């Protein structure tokens, strides 16, 4: 297993360290944000502010940048991340039905997270398995030919897995 | 200050070369409609109202006058049916982002809509207009970017665009030392063409990356 570069949130030193590690100056900011997203699971504001000051940019500029890419998250996700593919094939084969069923079942808030903090649901675009549409990705595992009627069972199974 | 000769609506004029065409024409008393241009901030090309036609190798072509640098021999028409039609189209789209606190803006846009002849390709889609008005989280802001740009220019940089496409909005980013950061200069309020920023940027802009 790869050891995450950022283990704690908010230390000045970790951004400084990352900055030295990332070589190409042009891609530094984006690469560091990617790394933070990977290690922490989202981009905490404190870290974003530090990246900004390290790069000599206004914090507001990075707010704009982060908001542009839907893959960046600004809040922690639930324990389980469910991505519903909204690519053309999946959309045509019923992705919205699955998504709506998830919303109903999990009572998601505006960020797509359930009140108990167990689930986050997001929409993504073509995960590259169109032949198995409609596709959802549950905690990095691709599931094909999903039916909306299976949603409650899937949710129950995930709720019961304890690790 | 270098000047060049250009032809504007069949008249030869000598204009400054170091500023965008829209400004060079302004200084000669020719006023093109515009909402997103400011002489301190340069051309931006977002409102679409300053459109003119220029003569190119391929014939007359529409261009934004705020994004055009005058050069010797440039031939420009500011009032053709094409120009008026494009301005009317831009004005119709901008009107969907209303209503605007400043009534002059409504009047200007309404006037431009009337002056452009509609073609059969451009039905006045009332339903679409109503839909986009209803779905607009910040009615009154045309996203011209003047506030964001002036805030950056004076090196406070508390404003930014957030999101993209139809979710694009201006956002206010608070700072730790608030007193020093925002609220006293009112530069954004003064530059906003529509009067949207009331009573302050913090309150007018609801979108936030971090809630
Ligand atoms: S608030 Fe005013 S200045 Fe800022 S983008 Fe909207 S219309 Fe333009
Ligand atoms: S559209 Fe869903 S996998 Fe391609
Ligand atoms: S003034 Fe040129 S596009 Fe707005």
């Amino acid at each position: 297993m790869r050891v995450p570069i950022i283990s704690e949130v908010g230390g000045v030193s970790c951004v400084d360290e990352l900055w030295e590690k990332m070589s190409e100056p042009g891609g530094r900011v984006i690469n560091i944000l990617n790394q933070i997203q990977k290690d922490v699971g989202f981009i905490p504001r404190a870290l974003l502010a530090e990246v900004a000051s390290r790069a000599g940019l206004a914090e507001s500029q990075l707010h704009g940048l982060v908001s542009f890419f839907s893959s960046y998250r600004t809040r922690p996700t639930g324990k389980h991340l469910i991505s519903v593919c909204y690519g053309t094939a999946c959309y045509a084969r019923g992705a919205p039905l699955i998504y709506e069923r998830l919303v109903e079942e999990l009572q998601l808030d505006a960020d797509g997270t359930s009140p108990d903090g167990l689930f986050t649901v997001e929409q993504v675009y073509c995960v590259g398995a169109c032949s198995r549409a409609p596709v959802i990705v549950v905690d990095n595992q691709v599931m094909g030919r999903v039916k909306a009627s299976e949603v409650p069972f899937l949710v129950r199974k995930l709720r019961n897995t304890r690790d | 200050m270098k000047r060049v000769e250009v032809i504007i609506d069949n008249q030869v004029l000598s204009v400054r070369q170091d500023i965008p065409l829209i400004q060079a024409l302004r200084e000669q008393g020719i006023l093109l409609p515009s909402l997103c241009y400011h002489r301190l901030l340069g051309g931006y090309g977002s409102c679409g109202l300053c459109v003119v036609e220029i003569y190119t190798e391929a014939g007359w072509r529409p261009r934004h006058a705020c994004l055009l640098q005058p050069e010797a021999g440039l031939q420009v028409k500011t009032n053709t049916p094409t120009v008026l039609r494009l301005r009317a189209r831009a004005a119709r789209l901008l009107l969907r982002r209303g209503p605007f606190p400043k009534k002059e803006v409504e009047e200007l846009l309404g006037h431009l809509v009337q002056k452009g002849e509609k073609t059969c390709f451009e039905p006045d889609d009332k339903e679409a207009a109503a839909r986009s008005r209803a779905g607009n989280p910040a009615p009154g802001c045309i996203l011209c970017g003047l506030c964001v740009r002036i805030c950056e220019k004076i090196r406070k940089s508390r404003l930014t665009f957030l999101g993209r496409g139809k979710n694009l909005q201006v956002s206010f980013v608070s700072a730790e030392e608030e007193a020093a950061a925002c609220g006293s200069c009112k530069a954004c309020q003064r530059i906003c063409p529509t009067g949207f920023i009331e009573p302050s940027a913090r309150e007018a802009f609801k979108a936030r990356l971090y809630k």
Side-chain angles (χ1 to χ4, degrees):
Chain A
M1 214 185 99
R2 206 178 50 84
V3 181
I5 296 184
I6 296 175
S7 44
E8 72 194 50
V9 172
V12 183
S13 55
C14 52
V15 169
D16 271 357
E17 222 173 274
L18 267 182
W19 189 267
E20 302 309 331
K21 280 207 176 94
M22 305 281 169
S23 49
E24 341 142 42
R28 257 181 183 160
V29 167
I30 278 286
N31 286 335
I32 289 177
L33 293 180
N34 285 342
Q35 192 67 48
I36 295 175
Q37 164 87 36
K38 212 175 196 171
D39 292 350
V40 186
F42 70 106
I43 298 176
R45 181 162 181 186
L47 285 183
L48 190 64
E50 272 171 33
V51 174
S53 83
R54 192 69 169 80
L57 297 168
E59 193 189 337
S60 61
Q61 267 176 293
L62 292 191
H63 281 224
L65 180 78
V66 164
S67 76
F68 189 86
F69 298 103
S70 47
S71 52
Y72 285 144
R73 305 196 140 267
T74 53
R75 274 161 283 268
T77 56
K79 192 167 146 231
H80 302 288
L81 178 62
I82 305 180
S83 313
V84 180
C85 180
Y86 259 64
T88 313
C90 294
Y91 188 89
R93 305 207 56 170
L97 284 178
I98 300 172
Y99 182 75
E100 273 150 33
R101 194 69 207 258
L102 280 164
V103 172
E104 185 189 319
E105 206 68 34
L106 298 172
Q107 298 168 353
L108 305 171
D109 61 15
D111 296 316
T113 300
S114 59
D116 55 12
L118 272 181
F119 297 93
T120 295
V121 180
E122 62 175 6
Q123 297 174 359
V124 295
Y125 292 91
C126 194
V127 301
C130 310
S131 62
R132 295 167 63 201
V135 169
I136 67 175
V137 184
V138 182
D139 297 332
N140 289 323
Q141 253 199 308
V142 177
M143 295 174 61
R145 306 240 157 84
V146 178
K147 296 194 192 77
S149 59
E150 293 167 3
V151 164
F153 300 101
L154 172 71
V155 167
R156 182 146 23 129
K157 208 179 98 202
L158 288 171
R159 276 220 165 96
N160 291 336
T161 47
R162 293 258 171 267
D163 47 74
Chain B
M1 185 170 65
K2 210 174 151 218
R3 300 186 79 87
V4 285
E5 294 212 318
V6 296
I7 303 179
I8 312 290
D9 297 329
N10 300 321
Q11 271 198 317
V12 179
L13 273 185
S14 157
V15 298
R16 274 174 67 178
Q17 192 193 18
D18 54 343
I19 50 180
L21 182 68
I22 189 173
Q23 186 66 31
L25 293 185
R26 255 181 213 183
E27 294 184 0
Q28 303 297 313
I30 301 172
L31 303 179
L32 301 175
S34 88
L35 285 177
C36 72
Y37 177 79
H38 190 283
R39 81 194 140 76
L40 294 175
L41 299 170
Y44 197 55
S46 101
C47 74
L49 297 181
C50 68
V51 70
V52 293
E53 279 194 277
I54 66 162
Y55 197 73
T56 70
E57 308 244 299
W60 292 98
R61 287 287 179 272
R63 291 284 185 278
H64 290 137
C66 66
L67 298 178
L68 213 63
Q69 216 62 37
E71 49 186 71
L74 182 72
Q75 300 174 40
V76 184
K77 287 188 179 174
T78 66
N79 246 322
T80 63
T82 305
V83 164
L84 296 181
R85 186 170 50 79
L86 290 173
R87 275 187 200 146
R89 180 195 286 173
R92 245 178 284 158
L93 290 174
L94 289 169
L95 276 169
R96 292 184 184 184
R97 305 203 62 92
F100 305 108
K102 284 196 189 158
K103 284 303 147 232
E104 307 93 279
V105 176
E106 304 264 352
E107 276 161 30
L108 168 74
L109 295 176
H111 176 71
L112 292 174
V113 168
Q114 300 233 305
K115 283 216 310 202
E117 239 175 87
K118 231 182 294 156
T119 67
C120 52
F121 305 116
E122 293 179 61
D124 203 349
D125 195 338
K126 292 239 164 59
E127 252 177 60
R131 234 182 297 127
S132 51
R133 272 203 178 207
N136 183 0
C141 171
I142 57 167
L143 300 171
C144 69
L146 282 170
C147 54
V148 178
R149 287 182 286 150
I150 193 76
C151 192
E152 202 177 320
K153 179 102 176 177
I154 61 175
R155 323 200 90 227
K156 296 206 172 183
S157 298
R158 310 265 32 124
L159 301 178
T160 183
F161 280 113
L162 221 54
R164 58 188 147 92
K166 67 180 191 316
N167 297 322
L168 191 66
Q169 277 191 72
V170 177
S171 166
F172 169 81
V173 179
S174 61
E176 268 170 24
E177 286 162 59
E178 212 45 81
C182 182
S184 49
C185 78
K186 302 213 183 326
C188 57
Q189 241 168 326
R190 264 185 249 128
I191 208 167
C192 175
T194 68
F196 177 79
I197 309 177
E198 273 304 331
S200 67
R202 177 198 305 276
E203 278 147 285
F205 299 120
K206 300 277 186 309
R208 296 282 186 279
L209 186 63
Y210 293 92
K211 301 263 151 52

